[in-house]
Amino acid sequence: MYYDFIKNVQSCYIELPALLYYSHIPVMLICLLMGFFVFFKSQTLVSKSLLTISLTFSIWLGIDLIAWISTNSLYLMFVWSLFGMLYAILFASCFYFLYVFIKGKDLNFITKIILFILILPIILFASTKFNVNNFNASTCVILPEKYYSDYIHLWGGVAFLWMVVLSILNYRKADRNKKGQITLASIGLFLFLFSFFVTDYLAEKLMIWGLATNFSLEHYGLFGMPVFMAFLAYLIVQYNIFNIKLLRAQALIVAIIILIGSQFAFIQNNVNRVLTGITLLLVSGIGWWLIRSIKDDDRRKEELQDMTVKLGEAYDKLKQLDRAKSEFVSIASHQLRTPLTAIKGFICLLLDGTYGAISTKTRDVIEKVYLSNERLIRLVEDLLNISRIESGRFTFRFEKNDIKEMVSDIVENMKFAAKNKHLYLDYKPTENPIPGFYFDKDKLREVISNLIDNAIKYTKKGGVSVLVKEVSEIVLDAQGRKNQNSANSFVQVIVSDTGVGIEKGEEQYIFEKFQRGKDISRVHTEGVGLGLYVAMKIIEAHEAKIWAESDGLGRGSRFIVQLKRNFQPPAEMTDQQKKMTLKK
Ligand code: ADP
């Protein structure tokens, strides 16, 4: 029936489908909310194209609602003529959105012109009889003219396929992160467009074939839009697209509020309206509180991360400074060692009488100078060792050596220092011969010398005894019988004195770097607390033990070094050392 025929039929009656409001109003709100949210947060080309989609689709939804509710044929003729145009713009803006999202740049001019030319006929013929010409007064429906409608759907199909090809081609080239983004954005968009396209097309065809009396099938297709928005929300939360910071909780709370709020679109009775309203208010309140506390936590986490980064930087700087300090100490110590050794040599020559006879008074003074010089040499050696330990250059040369001979030699050398303080210095080695075993002679010499030097230093009356003895670990065999296994035997070097002693609880602590006994600086001001630390490091490298014992303050102390007779140095050391032994 031609419109001209029914110009006097001003209205018709139609029953509204159940899903009408529910499929239009909440969907429209979600679509506008997302469009404007993204647009205001990041005003990029992608967000502008998303806003265009939101606005076009919302207008489409609004017009569709009017088309359903209105019964005035004149209004209907007008709004129906707009559908095709909006449909065409919607597909064009979806294509534009996907292109800019994937490529990160604007469409080129030629493609824009092609898009424009493709949708131009739809716009040009929108207000002509080639678009809407028929009004069916019995169903209250206007069907677009065949060619116009076919062209619209053809355009929709072409745009859809174009988008699919665009996604597939760019997916292949993308990195892992971008692949995820392309997949989610494309699937979301395709679900929306496909459901919209198919339901719109089918609804129209069913009407033409007389299988349906209205377009209500279309309403199911509209829910594709919130699905697309959900995909976008996920992309924002997970991939931070549009550079928007959206917490998962925020997105979820908004989704819950929308779902509850959308119930108003189909609730028919007032009690339910009130109850849903109260639920909505409560959920909004709780949601707001939840988001605020999550944001607080998030801020604290960020502050903590910031602090960790700063701390890391400070630590690196400190390490750099520490390295510089170690280098400085190492260089300074090297420079000090040479003149000190020269001084020692000259003092020995003086004491030997190489430069002529010296008086007893002068000898006394020179002997004091000699001892002070010796102590300085030891301090410089300790400092050098510390810098070697810190820079990982503390290396060892393990060889089979005679422990009794080495200790006897050290004691002989220290006799002079003891005599100077009127202290005795005894050496009591075990009678049994101890076969040679692996240790670094120079390093162990430093340890024992340090212990004897300390013993002399911290003793005013009496003297120092040095013991070398063998100790065996009693091992019980499977039958519980005692088995004195020589493989488990140790050699102990014990340096005991009758000096100031060590306060209870300090025996461990004095082996730490720069640590001295609590009141020791009153007795002896010169120490720095490095000797025992270095000794501990040397002994650890021998897989041996060192510890201190004392019966208390003023009651002397014992320092015990316990070496393993079956100590096997690390493989590479043995080879190196084997070569050296062979050379000898
Ligand atoms: P330093 O002797 O330069 O202070 P050490 O590392 O050799 O450094 O010794 C650390 C501390 O251990 C000493 O300051 C002292 O308190 C204590 N100590 C070491 N040897 C003895 C000893 N024979 N008698 C009493 N205390 C000792």
Side-chain angles (χ1 to χ4, degrees):
M1 178 188 322
Y2 287 100
Y3 182 64
D4 285 349
F5 263 137
I6 51 116
K7 16 183 180 247
N8 298 321
V9 181
Q10 287 287 306
S11 64
C12 57
Y13 172 76
I14 184 164
E15 201 167 315
L16 298 181
L19 265 184
L20 180 67
Y21 293 114
Y22 191 62
S23 62
H24 283 68
I25 296 170
V27 171
M28 191 196 290
L29 287 177
I30 293 170
C31 174
L32 287 173
L33 188 81
M34 191 66 159
F36 279 109
F37 171 71
V38 171
F39 178 73
F40 285 123
K41 288 273 179 181
S42 88
Q43 291 180 5
T44 56
L45 217 51
V46 198
S47 54
K48 281 177 194 159
S49 54
L50 185 69
L51 185 64
T52 316
I53 297 178
S54 305
L55 288 174
T56 317
F57 192 63
S58 300
I59 296 171
W60 191 98
L61 287 167
I63 282 177
D64 198 43
L65 256 187
I66 294 173
W68 276 101
I69 299 165
S70 171
T71 50
N72 186 309
S73 64
L74 284 173
Y75 287 163
L76 286 173
M77 286 296 276
F78 172 66
V79 294
W80 268 94
S81 66
L82 298 175
F83 278 130
M85 222 159 51
L86 290 166
Y87 186 94
I89 296 171
L90 179 72
F91 273 79
S93 47
C94 283
F95 175 79
Y96 190 69
F97 165 81
L98 195 68
Y99 184 90
V100 181
F101 178 82
I102 292 177
K103 295 270 199 185
K105 60 173 186 195
D106 197 359
L107 264 181
N108 61 31
F109 185 67
I110 305 220
T111 324
K112 276 185 192 164
I113 293 285
I114 295 174
L115 276 179
F116 183 67
I117 291 173
L118 284 172
I119 60 172
L120 191 63
I122 304 175
I123 298 169
L124 284 180
F125 290 100
S127 59
T128 66
K129 63 177 183 178
F130 298 105
N131 181 7
V132 280
N133 200 25
N134 276 315
F135 177 72
N136 187 334
S138 63
T139 53
C140 220
V141 155
I142 294 161
L143 282 177
E145 291 305 299
K146 185 175 169 358
Y147 294 121
Y148 192 82
S149 160
D150 284 349
Y151 187 75
I152 291 169
H153 288 117
L154 180 71
W155 156 243
V158 167
F160 189 82
L161 284 179
W162 201 353
M163 284 185 252
V164 173
V165 173
L166 180 78
S167 293
I168 293 174
L169 289 184
N170 285 285
Y171 177 87
R172 291 217 204 123
K173 285 187 254 161
D175 61 26
R176 224 174 126 238
N177 186 44
K178 190 75 191 173
K179 270 189 175 134
Q181 292 184 24
I182 294 178
T183 312
L184 286 167
S186 306
I187 291 180
L189 187 64
F190 295 159
L191 282 176
F192 159 54
L193 289 180
F194 188 74
S195 57
F196 183 53
F197 175 88
V198 170
T199 50
D200 183 70
Y201 187 73
L202 272 183
E204 195 180 305
K205 286 288 168 228
L206 289 181
M207 291 275 296
I208 291 169
W209 296 329
L211 294 172
T213 51
N214 60 32
F215 277 88
S216 60
L217 175 70
E218 218 179 44
H219 297 166
Y220 299 97
L222 304 181
F223 292 109
M225 177 47 113
V227 172
F228 173 41
M229 293 301 136
F231 272 77
L232 281 185
Y234 183 78
L235 272 165
I236 294 174
V237 171
Q238 204 63 23
Y239 290 91
N240 207 13
I241 61 160
F242 308 124
N243 288 328
I244 297 173
K245 211 169 158 264
L246 179 72
L247 297 176
R248 201 163 304 173
Q250 274 173 312
L252 287 176
I253 300 277
V254 171
I256 293 172
I257 291 173
I258 289 171
L259 285 175
I260 298 174
S262 59
Q263 293 190 51
F264 283 109
F266 63 77
I267 290 176
Q268 304 288 341
N269 91 35
N270 280 339
V271 177
N272 281 355
R273 273 197 194 107
V274 172
L275 287 178
T276 312
I278 292 172
T279 315
L280 191 66
L281 277 178
L282 282 175
V283 170
S284 307
I286 295 169
W288 177 78
W289 172 80
L290 188 79
I291 288 170
R292 220 185 56 172
S293 59
I294 290 177
K295 270 189 170 167
D296 276 353
D297 282 356
D298 220 47
R299 210 192 49 242
R300 252 173 257 138
K301 220 167 40 194
E302 268 173 18
E303 281 170 6
L304 217 87
Q305 265 168 354
D306 267 9
M307 260 155 68
T308 317
V309 171
K310 277 188 194 139
L311 227 102
E313 284 167 5
Y315 175 73
D316 285 346
K317 229 180 237 163
L318 266 173
K319 249 169 74 179
Q320 238 174 348
L321 275 176
D322 197 49
R323 261 201 300 274
K325 179 217 73 192
S326 294
E327 247 164 64
F328 170 74
V329 170
S330 162
I331 293 166
S333 314
H334 269 295
Q335 299 296 327
L336 281 171
R337 197 156 60 164
T338 328
L340 286 176
T341 324
I343 293 170
K344 180 178 175 164
F346 284 120
I347 296 174
C348 287
L349 290 175
L350 273 174
L351 289 173
D352 285 354
T354 314
Y355 298 115
I358 45 171
S359 68
T360 333
K361 223 173 161 186
T362 320
R363 175 174 286 277
D364 270 1
V365 175
I366 294 177
E367 278 177 1
K368 286 209 170 73
V369 175
Y370 174 82
L371 288 175
S372 299
N373 190 59
E374 275 295 276
R375 213 144 268 161
L376 258 178
I377 291 177
R378 204 157 291 135
L379 175 68
V380 167
E381 206 50 54
D382 279 346
L383 284 173
L384 270 174
N385 282 333
I386 293 282
S387 74
R388 283 184 199 126
I389 291 171
E390 282 172 358
S391 61
R393 286 180 291 115
F394 203 43
T395 48
F396 290 84
R397 257 185 51 204
F398 296 106
E399 283 170 312
K400 276 193 173 165
N401 290 300
D402 186 334
I403 186 88
K404 282 204 311 191
E405 190 188 297
M406 186 193 80
V407 178
S408 147
D409 192 40
I410 301 170
V411 172
E412 225 27 68
N413 278 332
M414 308 286 293
K415 276 249 156 81
F416 180 58
K419 202 182 94 202
N420 199 270
K421 273 190 84 177
H422 311 292
L423 301 173
Y424 63 82
L425 175 58
D426 293 341
Y427 175 47
K428 296 171 196 157
T430 163
E431 300 278 288
N432 302 335
I434 304 176
F437 61 95
Y438 283 113
F439 59 86
D440 182 324
K441 195 172 171 184
D442 291 339
K443 297 266 168 22
L444 203 64
R445 199 184 174 86
E446 267 179 53
V447 175
I448 310 291
S449 306
N450 244 321
L451 295 181
I452 301 177
D453 184 51
N454 275 349
I456 297 172
K457 202 160 70 174
Y458 298 117
T459 305
K460 281 188 182 148
K461 259 199 335 229
V464 180
S465 306
V466 182
L467 236 80
V468 173
K469 66 173 190 177
E470 285 178 288
V471 195
S472 303
E473 198 179 58
I474 311 290
V475 178
L476 297 182
D477 63 16
Q479 280 77 40
R481 286 187 305 245
K482 278 182 189 170
N483 171 17
Q484 260 196 341
N485 189 348
S486 70
N488 290 313
S489 75
F490 303 98
V491 171
Q492 282 188 348
V493 181
I494 305 170
V495 179
S496 43
D497 62 55
T498 55
V500 293
I502 302 166
E503 209 176 309
K504 272 247 147 334
E506 272 191 0
E507 295 93 339
Q508 291 277 321
Y509 159 84
I510 53 176
F511 285 93
E512 286 170 22
K513 196 160 50 167
F514 294 117
Q515 295 304 340
R516 306 192 71 205
K518 216 166 51 195
D519 298 316
I520 210 74
S521 41
R522 270 192 276 134
V523 185
H524 211 285
T525 45
E526 279 167 36
V528 285
L530 285 180
L532 290 183
Y533 171 74
V534 174
M536 176 69 103
K537 290 283 164 195
I538 294 173
I539 295 301
E540 274 171 4
H542 285 78
E543 291 169 17
K545 282 186 196 157
I546 180 168
W547 70 95
E549 292 173 356
S550 171
D551 298 327
L553 281 181
R555 300 172 74 178
S557 29
R558 286 176 300 284
F559 281 81
I560 300 118
V561 171
Q562 179 168 288
L563 298 160
K564 266 189 198 171
R565 278 180 54 184
N566 63 349
F567 168 63
Q568 283 300 324
E572 66 272 33
M573 296 279 184
T574 328
D575 290 339
Q576 181 190 348
Q577 159 265 310
K578 263 183 198 157
K579 266 184 230 152
M580 294 176 101
T581 330
L582 275 176
K583 267 189 211 158
K584 278 183 194 166

